[in-house]
Amino acid sequence: MKPLTGQTKYGWFVLVLLLIFFCSSCAWIKDSGQLSFLKRDLEGKVLTNPKDYNANYMLGIAHAVRGEKVSTASTNLGKFFLKGAIPYLEQAIRIKPDLAEAHLALGEIFGNDKINDGIGAIRHTLIAKKLFERQNKIESLAIANANLQIFSKKFFSFHLLGITKVQIPEPS
């Protein structure tokens, strides 16, 4: 067996890199297709019934997931999808203001570097925290507390402005 020359080694290296890139892009396209199908289905449900909490919440989450996935490839595209999630999550909160999951998701989106809304991030995460306490959801409460610590450091001045005195929705 002949030893590989430098040029042949380089050729194999490039071939392996191209193969890895091709496989990862195929997986990304598959995920995007599934999200697109889910998004179309949920958009149809929201158009049929704008007061559908689950459809609004899930459509907001689908936009947020898509924004997180594409944000590494394109900052503007990630911001576009994250901003697209906000109205759906806000509508879900208008429908059922005492459900903490939508508040937590909205807080995470507002706290994302691409949106960077400190007041919104702390406000919605604090509401989620208090609702999780009321509902005795320990694991979700821990996530809300961790997010509050991150947002308090990131948006320090907003935390000092008294944003922690927010009105918590009553159970419906």
Side-chain angles (χ1 to χ4, degrees):
M1 179 172 203
K2 278 193 322 186
L4 295 176
T5 65
Q7 195 171 26
T8 307
K9 287 179 186 177
Y10 177 74
W12 277 105
F13 177 75
V14 170
L15 183 64
V16 169
L17 282 178
L18 288 173
L19 185 62
I20 291 170
F21 175 75
F22 177 74
C23 291
S24 65
S25 65
C26 288
W28 186 80
I29 289 169
K30 180 182 174 207
D31 283 349
S32 296
Q34 290 170 344
L35 280 173
S36 293
F37 178 75
L38 174 67
K39 184 175 165 260
R40 279 189 305 243
D41 183 43
L42 291 171
E43 284 172 342
K45 287 181 180 181
V46 168
L47 285 174
T48 305
N49 181 9
K51 299 259 185 222
D52 184 343
Y53 170 82
N54 289 329
N56 278 289
Y57 174 73
M58 291 304 295
L59 191 52
I61 296 300
H63 274 277
V65 167
R66 187 83 178 265
E68 286 297 320
K69 283 188 176 208
V70 300
S71 65
T72 55
S74 167
T75 303
N76 291 335
L77 193 56
K79 185 175 183 176
F80 171 78
F81 283 113
L82 289 170
K83 280 188 171 187
I86 294 170
Y88 293 109
L89 290 170
E90 287 176 337
Q91 176 65 9
I93 288 170
R94 279 190 289 278
I95 296 166
K96 293 186 179 181
D98 62 326
L99 291 177
E101 289 80 8
H103 285 284
L104 184 65
L106 196 54
E108 288 178 355
I109 290 170
F110 282 139
N112 186 291
D113 288 337
K114 286 154 194 58
I115 304 297
N116 218 24
D117 177 357
I119 292 175
I122 291 174
R123 181 176 176 270
H124 283 285
T125 306
L126 190 59
I127 292 171
K129 174 189 171 191
K130 293 187 179 197
L131 289 170
F132 285 136
E133 285 173 351
R134 184 186 295 161
Q135 298 162 2
N136 203 25
K137 293 184 177 178
I138 305 301
E139 290 175 13
S140 299
L141 177 61
I143 294 169
N145 279 328
N147 286 355
L148 270 176
Q149 285 181 336
I150 291 167
F151 297 151
S152 294
K153 289 176 185 171
K154 184 176 180 181
F155 306 110
F156 182 70
S157 59
F158 292 122
H159 190 69
L160 294 178
L161 292 174
I163 191 80
T164 57
K165 298 173 186 160
V166 296
Q167 187 70 22
I168 307 303
E170 291 301 317
S172 53

